[in-house]
């Protein structure tokens, strides 16, 4: 079940980028679509946790839920949804996979944490991969919105990395609350902020959204992408360790690229393909020390005290 659910998580998270692309191409306003997705998914998940007595409505009065929602949902997905109007779902997935590198950079430059030469090399390698990924499109006749879209996704990963680092403190401050409930609460706040942004920037025509593609995309992202995907992710964390489930970041971009090319007619050049491999390799290299530390810690924690001292 662990292997099956892990592969399912990789598949779900890998297909959400294409689902977003399908919805956006169906003339669904990106901010409104993202806001509706996360608000409804968060609401359903949160009240499910309340029904199971693993969450309390008092969570909503804490500013931590709002701040986490700004980073993990609002900042991350407002940029991603907008960018997918101009960027292919496969490229969006690969650029989103740079989040662990962004997190390492923030830990080093902002939090002043020491980093190894291997991690620095991984970040440089990842940057080279990004250049290779974008290089075939950086011509004189390049679509400026495509370039801005790619930059927007990278900015979104800065939001995500900041939110992820901050959420570690939030989980420690609310140890009695289920991580699923905390995630649901931040999705509700993030979703509301996205809807508010939509009200000021988009013209929402409900009739134009009543198409098979638009409704199918939204339902898939709410039920499968947000509710099922995140629940399975936290189930894997509980059954294994914090490291194993997060490796979906290294698998899902390949799935997203494949689905985009096979099912949606997206294209990719050989130079961009090399860039994709380089980005994934750089991401793994940059986070290899952290992965080893977490795995070693998990193994040590599972050893009886008498053996650990030996």
């Amino acid at each position: 079940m662990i292997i099956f659910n892990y592969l399912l998580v990789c598949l779900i998270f890998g297909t959400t980028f294409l689902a977003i692309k399908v919805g956006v191409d169906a003339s669904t306003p990106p901010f409104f679509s993202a806001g509706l997705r996360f608000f409804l998914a968060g609401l359903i998940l949160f009240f499910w946790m309340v029904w199971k007595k693993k969450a309390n409505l008092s969570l909503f009065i804490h500013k931590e839920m709002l701040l986490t929602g700004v980073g993990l949902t609002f900042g991350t997905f407002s940029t991603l949804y907008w960018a997918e109007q101009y960027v292919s779902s496969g490229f969006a997935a690969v650029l989103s996979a740079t989040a662990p590198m962004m997190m390492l950079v923030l830990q080093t430059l902002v939090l002043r944490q020491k980093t190894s030469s291997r991690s620095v090399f991984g970040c440089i390698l990842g940057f080279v991969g990004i250049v290779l990924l974008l290089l075939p499109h950086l011509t004189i006749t390049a679509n400026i919105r495509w370039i801005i879209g790619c930059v927007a996704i990278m900015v979104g990963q800065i939001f995500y990395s900041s939110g992820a680092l901050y959420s570690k403190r939030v989980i420690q401050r609310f140890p009695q609350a289920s991580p699923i409930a905390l995630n649901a609460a931040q999705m509700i706040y993030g979703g509301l902020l996205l809807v508010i942004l939509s009200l000021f920037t988009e013209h929402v025509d409900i009739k134009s959204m009543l198409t098979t593609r638009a409704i199918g995309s939204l339902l898939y992202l709410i039920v499968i992408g947000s509710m099922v995907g995140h629940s399975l992710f936290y189930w894997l964390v509980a059954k294994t360790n914090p490291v194993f489930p997060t490796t979906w970041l290294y698998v899902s971009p390949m799935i997203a690229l494949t689905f985009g090319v096979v099912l949606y007619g997206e294209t990719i050049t050989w130079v961009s393909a090399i860039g994709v491999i380089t980005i994934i390799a750089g991401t793994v290299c940059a986070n290899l020390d952290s992965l080893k530390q977490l795995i070693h810690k998990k193994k040590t924690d599972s050893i009886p005290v008498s053996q650990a001292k030996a």
Side-chain angles (χ1 to χ4, degrees), residues 9 40 42 53 55 60 81 96 180 216 261 266 296:
V9 164
L40 292 178
K53 298 182 179 179
F60 286 108
Y81 269 71
S96 295
I180 297 179
V261 171
E266 296 178 350
H296 177 71

Side-chain angles (χ1 to χ4, degrees), residues 77-127:
F77 289 95
S78 61
T79 51
L80 177 63
Y81 269 71
W82 181 86
E84 285 212 39
Q85 295 176 103
Y86 316 105
V87 180
S88 69
S89 62
F91 278 17
V94 174
L95 291 172
S96 295
T98 59
M101 281 193 295
M102 296 290 188
M103 201 174 299
L104 182 67
V105 171
L106 288 175
Q107 287 176 322
T108 304
L109 298 181
V110 179
L111 301 181
R112 300 296 180 183
Q113 294 183 7
K114 292 183 179 179
T115 185
S116 67
S117 56
R118 182 194 288 123
S119 296
V120 174
F121 173 75
C123 289
I124 295 173
L125 190 63
F127 178 76

